[in-house]
Amino acid sequence: MIELIGSLFILAGAVFLFSAGLGLLRMPDAYTRIQAGTKATTLGNMLVLAGLAFYHPGWIFKLILVIYFVLMTNPVSSHALSRAAYRIRTPMTSATMADALAEDDAGGDGAPPEGSARGGPPGERTGR
Amino acid sequence: MPVNGQENRPGFPPQGMVSLWVVLFVVWMAANSTPAIEVALLGAAVTFALAYAFAASSEAWRRIRWTPAGFYHFLAYTGTFLVELVKANLAMMRIVYSPRIDIRPGIVRVRTRLRSPIGRLALANTIALTPGSLVLDLKDDVLYIHWIDVRSTDVEVVSAAMAGSFEEHLEQIFG
């Protein structure tokens, strides 16, 4: 019985992970793909690990620890990937409505310069 | 919090070190999953050294509030967060499995009230996992967010929609 519950958790997690994979294929541009990947893999991983806890009750603390690590690092990697994609000017889908970041970068007055942390002088970033 | 010229010279123990030590020790014990006394002693020593090194070298750990109110807000935040995470996934599945993907993405601004770096990190991570949003960049108190379905570009409206419910809890925990 307990193993059945665990299996259901793992199955639900697998469904979310599959959706993440499908999202990567179907979404129109890099940013929306990162979105699909981040959210669905986080919940999918959590469910799979929770299901594993039903199979191996002795691992429960380690699994909680792993869940926390996934929860904290997955969004950070999505943040780094999307920021890098934006910095090398990866094109956005034509359905895009607004781009506040480009406005603020172009205006330059409101946003304080942060030197090297922002990816070098503005001239360099037009190269791509 | 002392506001004088001596702030750069950490006393002993550095501010925030004890709480960091406790957290690291709990992580150590969870990773080992054994109540053996040797393991606990070694863990206490190792996590003490780590906590000292980090608390002395960084200000990020100083503002976390270890009060009952902070604990309550942490629980409330966790509950809200899990609900939003499930909602985010269902919304994402609806888009992914629809026959024709019809979305209107865009980058919008969100202004945050949070001051501490860890609070902002937590907010950015939370926003990345809530429905339809992804943090692209962070300048001062403005988060640039890729929103999969732009309904407004007004800073106040977007901030309330995305950060509102989490911000009040995080503000109580991290300041």
Side-chain angles (χ1 to χ4, degrees):
Chain A
M1 185 61 201
I2 283 182
E3 295 200 348
L4 182 66
I5 298 173
S7 307
L8 287 177
F9 268 96
I10 293 175
L11 180 65
V15 168
F16 281 114
L17 289 172
F18 176 78
S19 312
L22 196 65
L24 288 187
L25 284 174
R26 291 204 64 202
M27 285 295 189
D29 69 356
Y31 309 98
T32 45
R33 282 179 183 154
I34 293 171
Q35 286 219 20
T38 310
K39 297 184 219 310
T41 54
T42 308
L43 188 61
N45 268 321
M46 285 169 69
L47 286 172
V48 169
L49 293 171
L52 211 52
F54 284 96
Y55 278 86
H56 299 279
W59 294 1
I60 196 156
F61 290 113
K62 293 181 193 184
L63 290 171
I64 290 173
L65 215 54
V66 174
I67 286 177
Y68 265 100
F69 277 129
V70 170
L71 213 50
M72 282 191 279
T73 53
N74 225 347
V76 172
S77 68
S78 81
H79 186 168
L81 279 173
S82 56
R83 192 169 181 274
Y86 193 85
R87 289 283 161 228
I88 63 168
R89 299 179 174 268
T90 308
M92 303 175 80
T93 175
S94 54
T96 300
M97 304 277 294
D99 189 347
L101 189 50
E103 285 166 25
D104 284 5
D105 276 352
D109 293 324
E114 287 181 80
S116 55
R118 294 286 321 287
E124 238 170 63
R125 281 190 269 125
T126 57
R128 180 71 186 255
Chain B
M1 197 160 288
V3 188
N4 55 33
Q6 301 294 311
E7 254 190 317
N8 290 332
R9 305 175 62 85
F12 191 87
Q15 222 175 345
M17 181 195 150
V18 175
S19 49
L20 185 59
W21 186 19
V22 171
V23 171
L24 288 175
F25 185 70
V26 170
V27 169
W28 172 281
M29 292 311 281
N32 280 295
S33 300
T34 164
I37 190 74
E38 297 89 349
V39 174
L41 285 177
L42 180 63
V46 171
T47 53
F48 180 87
L50 282 175
Y52 180 75
F54 279 100
S57 65
S58 167
E59 308 218 338
W61 309 100
R62 294 187 190 173
R63 296 205 195 179
I64 302 176
R65 289 177 200 160
W66 299 88
T67 58
F71 188 67
Y72 160 75
H73 281 284
F74 180 75
L75 286 184
Y77 161 79
T78 308
T80 323
F81 171 76
L82 287 178
V83 171
E84 290 291 316
L85 179 59
V86 173
K87 276 205 286 196
N89 276 276
L90 296 180
M92 189 54 65
M93 284 174 95
R94 197 175 306 133
I95 293 173
V96 166
Y97 290 116
S98 65
R100 190 169 158 277
I101 293 184
D102 185 21
I103 50 175
R104 298 177 304 158
I107 299 176
V108 293
R109 300 183 193 87
V110 164
R111 184 161 282 131
T112 175
R113 300 196 301 268
L114 299 173
R115 295 265 158 261
S116 75
I118 293 200
R120 285 179 180 175
L121 172 69
L123 182 69
N125 277 6
T126 310
I127 287 175
L129 291 173
T130 47
S133 49
L134 173 71
V135 178
L136 273 180
D137 209 342
L138 174 63
K139 291 176 193 164
D140 278 346
D141 61 346
V142 179
L143 295 148
Y144 292 86
I145 288 176
H146 184 268
W147 200 2
I148 212 161
D149 185 20
V150 176
R151 270 166 270 153
S152 165
T153 52
D154 184 69
V155 180
E156 303 302 325
V157 176
V158 178
S159 303
M162 285 191 179
S165 53
F166 299 111
E167 214 170 28
E168 52 183 297
H169 295 313
L170 288 173
E171 201 170 26
Q172 296 300 319
I173 307 169
F174 297 113

